[in-house]
Amino acid sequence: MTAGIEVRQRARPATVQGAVSAERETLRGVDDSQVVAAYLAGRQRAFDELVGRYQKRLLNFVHRTIGDRERAEDLVQEVFIRVHRHLHRFDQSKKFSTWIYTIASNLAKNELRNRSRSPLVLFQTIKKNWEADHRPLQFEDKRSRPEDLYRKRHLRELVEWAVAQLPEHHRVVFVLRELEGKTYEEIAEITDCNLGTVKSRLNRARNRFAQIIGPLLD
């Protein structure tokens, strides 16, 4: 069965392949609301476009929030499963980015709550980080000097560690604002808090973050 499908795909006329490529280019050139509308109208490739736009961004957000890369990958997969299942209920007058970040935020917060009730999971996460420390440095850009790459990697690790020390409700708003660049209004909607609460939590998170990381940078 699979072989038959592959043969038919290879034998697909160039005109059909051109139409597929044209559709992908069209989807890449429109905003989220139009991609959502296209998917709801039956264009299946529109969902792939949404995944392409948000997968890496959500992975960074969830990873920074819970501190576990592998678990973050699982949660982001769950985000897209829920989006696929419930997209027909999405209020298209709202921003899609806010809706999908809300789903990711809720899953991340649930993960943190479950972890706090499971000392074994917490220990396993800490142990995994110990083992990760023995991995060699990976230089993404070989044109940069090793000492510059080391400093950047070291600073990134300090930032991620300092963020992980923040209380959950402070950590979420800090990551959304300082690392994801969300507006106060978007954060309020994602976290289901009023603007005053968001600003208060963010101010406290910034102060606490500065207290934690400041001595490490001297």
Side-chain angles (χ1 to χ4, degrees), residues 7-201:
V7 168
R8 286 195 293 272
Q9 288 176 338
R10 286 197 296 269
R12 186 163 53 183
T15 54
V16 175
Q17 293 179 352
V20 170
S21 298
E23 182 180 21
R24 288 173 178 163
E25 288 301 317
T26 299
L27 290 170
R28 291 192 186 108
V30 299
D31 61 26
D32 288 349
S33 62
Q34 292 171 291
V35 178
V36 170
Y39 176 72
L40 294 176
R43 295 168 64 181
Q44 298 299 315
R45 291 186 184 85
F47 191 81
D48 294 336
E49 176 63 22
L50 293 174
V51 173
R53 290 184 183 190
Y54 284 95
Q55 187 170 38
K56 185 175 181 179
R57 292 159 61 183
L58 291 177
L59 179 57
N60 288 336
F61 165 58
V62 176
H63 178 209
R64 287 162 172 164
T65 302
I66 69 172
D68 184 331
R69 180 85 178 184
E70 291 182 11
R71 184 60 182 144
E73 291 174 351
D74 293 338
L75 292 179
V76 170
Q77 184 176 6
E78 177 63 24
V79 169
F80 286 111
I81 290 173
R82 295 190 181 194
V83 169
H84 187 273
R85 186 179 300 153
H86 301 296
L87 191 56
H88 64 284
R89 300 179 184 174
F90 169 61
D91 182 354
Q92 295 185 61
S93 67
K94 306 289 187 179
K95 289 184 66 173
F96 175 79
S97 61
T98 301
W99 184 61
I100 197 170
Y101 265 91
T102 300
I103 296 172
S105 177
N106 288 337
L107 287 173
K109 286 188 286 189
N110 288 340
E111 172 70 15
L112 289 172
R113 292 191 187 102
N114 292 338
R115 185 182 300 173
S116 67
R117 290 193 288 265
S118 175
L120 175 60
V121 172
L122 180 59
F123 172 77
Q124 290 172 338
T125 301
I126 293 172
K127 187 171 183 293
K128 184 186 300 180
N129 290 337
W130 287 342
E131 294 169 349
D133 289 340
H134 295 289
R135 291 182 299 180
L137 288 173
Q138 298 295 321
F139 299 137
E140 292 85 359
D141 187 353
K142 296 182 179 179
R143 294 171 297 178
S144 298
R145 294 181 301 174
E147 58 268 26
D148 292 334
L149 289 164
Y150 174 79
R151 280 194 290 269
K152 289 180 181 179
R153 180 177 182 267
H154 181 61
L155 178 59
R156 183 177 68 249
E157 290 175 347
L158 286 179
V159 168
E160 292 176 351
W161 179 84
V163 169
Q165 309 312 304
L166 300 175
E168 174 195 324
H169 53 291
H170 290 168
R171 187 189 317 170
V172 171
V173 297
F174 185 90
V175 170
L176 286 170
R177 178 63 180 173
E178 304 300 339
L179 302 181
E180 297 294 326
K182 297 297 181 184
T183 66
Y184 293 119
E185 291 76 13
E186 288 174 322
I187 297 171
E189 189 167 350
I190 290 170
T191 59
D192 195 24
C193 296
N194 60 52
L195 280 175
T197 300
V198 168
K199 292 178 180 179
S200 175
R201 288 180 178 179

